[in-house]
Amino acid sequence: LARVRIFATAAARRFTSHSVTPHPARRFRTVTMASAASDASKRANTTRVIATHDGAFHCDEALGCYMLQRTAAYAGATITRSRDADAWAAADVVIDVGATYDAEKKLFDHHQREFTETFGHGFVTKLSSAGLVYKHFGEELIRDALRAASANGAEPDDGLVRKIYLKVYEEFIEGVDGNDNGVNMYDTDALAKYKDTTGLPHRVKRLNPDWDEASTPERQMEQFLKAVALTGSEFDDCVKYYTGKWLPARQHVEHALNCAKDVHESGEILRLDTFCPWKEHLYELEAERGITDASENQPKFMLWQDNKGWRVSTIPVSASSFAFRKGLPTPWRGVRDADLSALSGIPGCVFIHAAGFIGGNDTYEGALAMAVAGLNMS
């Protein structure tokens, strides 16, 4: 009765509701959510209901429904699409409709005038229904993904869960929130130079029934479930990348930073045991450790091996900058092979780029000598 009272004024008239109980819950294609709920739990949850609005659908509620169905509480739950306040009141969780946000009562709408909720943690974009669901259930999803990615199903460290939880919001969910709430990416009124309609919200929009075809409840639900699957696939890929690729790369960079003094006494030359994307991780790790431009041992060069030998790279002053902290020696830039070895006195030289930001050598010892020269020469 309390829920009926909450929603009694939210619907002026009733629409036909339409619900579908999904096929057994879709899993991550590689990083599975199998640990999210047991089969018995899923069977029990088929009586649970996720309610959202009918009519035209958007990326946020499709993604929100997908994420809810990946939780232990709502795995296998039925999705109901309706404008009927009684249908909302009878549901176990309501998303993107009802003009109420109350996490304890499982009401997740963001359209009400007074709504100002953000994700926190330094993020300022107003949440959509997807952001609301992720804010309250995202850590569970990330924990399950990390557990499933572990070779022995070990319980993940809370710090790793929080790191991936925040990263997936930054790289995926926040964009859905901003788009649904009409938040511009840039503070400018300049006209766009081209259109981009290839993003996830646009692809979801195109799944809505066309203007010249019958838009029955059955047709709407058929297309909405395609949107749920589409957004879920993209979410899975994002989580899979950050748990299975991004996080291990960070661990390689962290190891390189920890062992800097083993490479060179200055601590300013790092060596990757295996090549991986490293710049973003290095900047984050430096910030966490308080390493700044004023730090005595701020890294200046990164070494790694590839299938052609060893690379020595400068470290840019920022992720978006072509300027570097310290360059390879100016007199050697643009010189190659034997000429470079003769000029530098270092055997095995392959090249130094004319801009001085990267070079190569046949051996680790040669690449290290090139980096040391970069530290000592202007």
Side-chain angles (χ1 to χ4, degrees), residues 96-114:
D96 208 46
V97 74
T100 302
Y101 165 50
D102 188 327
E104 289 187 5
K105 296 178 180 179
K106 303 300 185 288
L107 308 175
F108 298 104
D109 195 18
H110 68 109
H111 294 100
Q112 53 274 27
R113 182 189 298 272
E114 67 276 12

Side-chain angles (χ1 to χ4, degrees), residues 196-209:
D196 180 8
T197 59
T198 62
L200 184 59
H202 284 92
R203 284 181 282 140
V204 169
K205 182 179 180 181
R206 287 197 293 269
L207 287 172
N208 279 278

